[in-house]
């Protein structure tokens, strides 16, 4: 790939571009899905895409396409000057480095073992309880990703990794019907506990079969690891240096922003997350402390924001796909877990355990305000007692992290953002009145 890239950089110079960056992405996805306990299917998709940032004068041109051959990329360069998607730049946007980086961790995956595991999860889930009516889906998805990147300053990088995601969805019935779902991610099949996935999905469905009424009250809340990871992901941009430039964050460097129980890390590796040895501008990723004991230590940067704000580049350039332009994004961005278990948090409160949220997309990503529909359980004497459905929860994300009393050890990732369960004091949960 690098030989082809060098030719294309030379070609871009002939066309009058002073700087050039070439990003090539290859993704192989395989899916193994058993629906309704009998209908097994296997899928395969493979895409190779290329994205270019080309600089001429004070303008950057972004073009992308699926990759066929060098000629097709040359055609992109030819058309770049005439396309509408150009942007005036006011700072350095490409890393001025001349080095070569290579990170590759590809684990072999036995497809026979995958198929056996899919059937095994379905069988365990179905037999977990007589109230399980149907295993709607038992599936394992694998992804293998390669990224090559080079620019006209001489920077070359390549990284490759694969990951596995196993999940089960079941339908339980007893007067009413409820869905239970659970998943687990890893970098190999050996990291996945298939039995636990199946049993947990079934338990989740069964627990919801007898919902109770609830009156509005102020109480302590535990946000499940899944819920908190979704929230942290939605409000990620308040930690981005781009939000400083755009004046869309309330956070300030060196000041206590949250509870002392809150520390946030951004790292190149985390179990359940992804592998991000090199960011998507070719900069080597390192361990970054974003928040330590409630105090903001750094915003996250890519090349542009670090130059613009004269700060250290934290290697957080993200594209999410070759079709998207560069942004500041998470590597493995997560709320640091403690040594406390979720049960330890249950033992600390009589309150409400929120397991599902609805309407996160309606929250205000700048102010932090949100109003959500929530489902969950009352916690009394350290136990889940009553399932409460269709309550409301209105608050502010900054306030949530200010009122965080403790975090658990059950770190869970949604994509590249993760969190353990958290105990938050003084929240109002809306009920029937």
């Amino acid at each position: 790939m690098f030989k082809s890239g060098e030719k294309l950089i030379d070609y871009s110079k002939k066309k009058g571009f002073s700087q050039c960056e070439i990003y090539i992405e290859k993704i192989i996805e395989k899916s193994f899905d058993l629906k309704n306990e009998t209908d097994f299917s296997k899928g395969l998709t493979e895409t190779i895409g290329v994205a270019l940032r080309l600089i001429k004068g004070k303008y950057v041109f972004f073009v992308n396409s699926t990759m066929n051959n060098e000629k097709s990329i040359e055609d992109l360069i030819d058309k770049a000057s005439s396309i509408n998607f150009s942007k005036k730049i006011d700072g350095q946007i490409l890393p001025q480095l001349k080095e070569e980086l290579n990170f590759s961790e590809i684990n072999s995956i036995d497809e026979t073992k995958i198929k056996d595991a899919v059937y095994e999860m379905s069988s365990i889930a179905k037999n977990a309880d007589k109230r399980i009516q149907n295993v709607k889906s038992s599936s394992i998805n694998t992804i293998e990703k390669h990224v090559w990147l080079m620019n006209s300053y001489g920077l070359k990088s390549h990284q490759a990794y694969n990951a596995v995601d196993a999940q089960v969805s079941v339908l339980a019935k007893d007067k009413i019907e409820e869905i239970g779902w659970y998943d687990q991610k890893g970098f190999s099949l050996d990291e996945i506990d298939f039995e636990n996935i199946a049993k947990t999905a079934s338990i989740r469905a069964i627990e919801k079969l007898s919902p109770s009424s609830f009156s509005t009250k102020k109480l302590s809340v535990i946000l499940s690891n899944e819920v908190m990871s979704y929230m942290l992901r939605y409000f990620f941009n308040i930690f981005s240096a781009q939000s400083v430039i755009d004046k869309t964050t309330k956070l300030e460097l060196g000041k206590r922003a949250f509870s002392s129980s809150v520390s946030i890390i951004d790292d190149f590796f985390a179990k359940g997350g992804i592998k991000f040895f090199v960011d998507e501008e070719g900069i080597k990723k390192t361990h970054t402390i974003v928040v330590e004991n409630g105090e903001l230590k750094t915003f996250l940067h890519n090349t542009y924001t670090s130059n613009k704000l004269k700060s250290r580049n934290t290697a957080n350039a993200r594209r999410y796909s070759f079709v998207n332009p560069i942004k500041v994004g998470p590597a493995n961005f997560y709320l640091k877990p403690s040594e406390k278990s979720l049960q330890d948090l249950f033992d600390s409160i009589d309150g409400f355990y929120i397991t599902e949220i609805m309407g996160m997309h309606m929250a205000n990503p700048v102010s932090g305000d949100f109003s959500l529909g929530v489902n969950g359980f009352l916690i009394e004497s350290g136990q889940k007692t009553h399932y409460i459905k269709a309550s409301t929860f209105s608050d502010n994300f900054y306030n949530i992290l200010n009122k965080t009393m403790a975090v658990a050890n059950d770190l869970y990732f949604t994509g590249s953002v993760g969190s353990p369960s958290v105990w938050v004091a003084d929240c109002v949960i809306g009920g029937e009145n």
Side-chain angles (χ1 to χ4, degrees), residues 37-104:
E37 303 164 43
T38 57
D39 185 13
F40 180 79
S41 62
K42 176 182 172 181
L44 170 66
T45 59
E46 181 174 341
T47 58
I48 302 179
V50 61
L52 287 81
R53 286 194 292 174
L54 300 157
I55 296 172
K56 183 182 290 185
K58 293 184 177 181
Y59 288 87
V60 58
F61 299 80
F62 176 80
V63 289
N64 65 84
S65 175
T66 53
M67 181 176 174
N68 298 313
N69 49 48
E70 288 181 20
K71 181 64 171 63
S72 65
I73 305 177
E74 288 179 355
D75 291 342
L76 278 180
I77 295 172
D78 289 340
K79 296 174 183 176
S81 295
S82 61
I83 65 172
N84 292 324
F85 188 38
S86 63
K87 181 180 179 180
K88 193 170 185 178
I89 53 176
D90 58 355
Q92 182 68 29
I93 66 169
L94 300 186
Q96 293 179 300
L97 295 174
K98 186 175 183 179
E99 61 180 339
E100 188 165 338
L101 301 170
N102 183 48
F103 299 92
S104 182

Side-chain angles (χ1 to χ4, degrees), residues 182 192 312:
Y182 189 62
I192 308 296
R312 180 180 70 88

Side-chain angles (χ1 to χ4, degrees), residues 311-324:
S311 300
R312 180 180 70 88
N313 189 345
T314 60
N316 282 91
R318 289 299 305 267
R319 298 173 189 266
Y320 302 102
S321 167
F322 71 93
V323 300
N324 297 322

